[in-house]
Amino acid sequence: MPQSKPPRFLVAVAFAAALFALGVASASAGDPPFATSGSLSISSDPGDSVGFGQSYAVATPNDSFLGASDWTNSVVHLNVHTSDGHYWIFTFGAPFDQQLLPGTYAGATRFRGFGNPGLDVSHDSFGCNQTSGSFTVLQASYAGYGYLLRFHATFEQHCEGAAAALHGEIDIVNPTPPPAPTASVQLSVDPQGQLTNHGAAIVHGTVSCSTATNFAPTIYLDASEQTRAGTIAVQTYTYGDTYCSPAPQRWQATIYPPAKSSFAKGAATVTASTGMADPWYPLLTDTASSTVGVQLTEG
């Protein structure tokens, strides 16, 4: 039976948020990296649990292609969203400490290591828990700061050690990269917080990014308070209310104390931290943190 894949993190570019759009001929800072041209052909053997024994052929301009590298040019992530509502996700990786350059990569698995490359292809929500196979990079070129210019590869993937294979070829060309911006993020914590009826603390603040992004930032929180019953210390996280942009956006978190304890009226210490990655250049990242004494009052 086909396996429903677990969630995955596809680098810092926010692919999924803009898959409905078409590629553009040139780029500007903050845009997602839509390919100016792309093509994908797939041939699936009977019994293959990703391609279901069928053949597929998609290409721009009707279908959307997204591609990005990590900043070391070691891993390439590709998304293909078809005009009829389906999608493909690809990860090609060189062995650890190597760049992904033209050549044949045998012995590929879903999770790469120091001695083996990585290959992972999924279709809609179906893919492999374990993969084996190989791929050949025909062309791979990068600009500075990990920006992907061109990627062209053929591949063969087997799921769970099965003989049936998924064969394919993918080729994308990205727009000329925009000038590299200086990515920065700013974060604040309000000095006033509220208590809930159940002893939790509500804290809030603002977050802003110098470059507009297609993701809501994650705010990591460390909160502590000395109460009559002892010290309460909690680590948690929340998300910004909307996409990060130059205009400050509000964030709010409800911090739940450990079992059988409650936050109390008075001063708590809250440290909030977050980060951002430029959507075009994964290397251009920035972090921010703020430690504030928050006065907790009954809501």
Side-chain angles (χ1 to χ4, degrees), residues 110-219:
R110 183 180 177 191
F111 302 105
R112 67 191 182 109
F114 283 100
N116 65 284
L119 174 64
D120 191 11
V121 183
S122 63
H123 178 210
D124 293 338
S125 62
F126 298 98
C128 311
N129 291 316
Q130 297 181 359
T131 68
S132 58
S134 63
F135 60 92
T136 297
V137 178
L138 302 174
Q139 290 180 281
S141 56
Y142 310 91
Y145 304 103
Y147 181 82
L148 178 67
L149 290 170
R150 173 78 183 272
F151 190 77
H152 184 190
T154 60
F155 60 89
E156 177 180 313
Q157 174 181 277
H158 301 260
C159 277
E160 327 307 343
L166 182 76
H167 309 268
E169 180 174 358
I170 187 166
D171 186 12
I172 76 162
V173 178
N174 268 339
T176 300
T182 301
S184 65
V185 59
Q186 295 79 40
L187 180 68
S188 73
V189 181
D190 296 339
Q192 297 292 328
Q194 294 78 43
L195 295 170
T196 71
N197 293 334
H198 302 289
I202 299 174
V203 298
H204 28 69
T206 64
V207 61
S208 61
C209 298
S210 61
T211 299
T213 65
N214 292 316
F215 67 92
T218 303
I219 315 296

Side-chain angles (χ1 to χ4, degrees), residues 29-288:
D31 289 335
F34 285 104
T36 54
S37 67
S39 63
L40 169 66
S41 61
I42 295 284
S43 174
S44 172
D45 294 340
D48 169 54
S49 59
V50 175
F52 312 117
Q54 300 181 36
S55 296
Y56 307 83
V58 298
T60 54
N62 293 326
D63 307 296
S64 298
F65 287 69
L66 289 160
S69 169
D70 70 338
W71 68 272
T72 64
N73 303 141
S74 181
V75 179
V76 166
H77 301 278
L78 307 171
N79 276 24
V80 179
H81 191 256
T82 66
S83 58
D84 58 355
H86 297 281
Y87 61 90
W88 294 84
I89 299 175
F90 302 82
T91 300
F92 298 91
F96 288 166
D97 296 335
Q98 297 183 29
Q99 285 191 317
L100 187 59
L101 299 173
T104 296
Y105 295 80
T109 62
R110 183 180 177 191
F111 302 105
R112 67 191 182 109
F114 283 100
N116 65 284
L119 174 64
D120 191 11
V121 183
S122 63
H123 178 210
D124 293 338
S125 62
F126 298 98
C128 311
N129 291 316
Q130 297 181 359
T131 68
S132 58
S134 63
F135 60 92
T136 297
V137 178
L138 302 174
Q139 290 180 281
S141 56
Y142 310 91
Y145 304 103
Y147 181 82
L148 178 67
L149 290 170
R150 173 78 183 272
F151 190 77
H152 184 190
T154 60
F155 60 89
E156 177 180 313
Q157 174 181 277
H158 301 260
C159 277
E160 327 307 343
L166 182 76
H167 309 268
E169 180 174 358
I170 187 166
D171 186 12
I172 76 162
V173 178
N174 268 339
T176 300
T182 301
S184 65
V185 59
Q186 295 79 40
L187 180 68
S188 73
V189 181
D190 296 339
Q192 297 292 328
Q194 294 78 43
L195 295 170
T196 71
N197 293 334
H198 302 289
I202 299 174
V203 298
H204 28 69
T206 64
V207 61
S208 61
C209 298
S210 61
T211 299
T213 65
N214 292 316
F215 67 92
T218 303
I219 315 296
Y220 298 94
L221 298 161
D222 286 271
S224 63
E225 184 185 24
Q226 184 66 46
T227 69
R228 292 181 179 179
T231 301
I232 295 176
V234 179
Q235 292 182 323
T236 187
Y237 65 92
T238 188
Y239 299 101
D241 289 342
T242 186
Y243 296 156
C244 201
S245 68
Q249 306 294 323
R250 297 295 298 174
W251 63 265
Q252 177 172 301
T254 300
I255 304 175
Y256 295 94
K260 299 181 180 181
S261 62
S262 299
F263 285 101
K265 290 175 61 176
T269 300
V270 176
T271 297
S273 58
T274 191
M276 70 162 289
D278 181 81
W280 284 88
Y281 298 97
L283 180 61
L284 294 179
T285 59
D286 188 42
T287 59

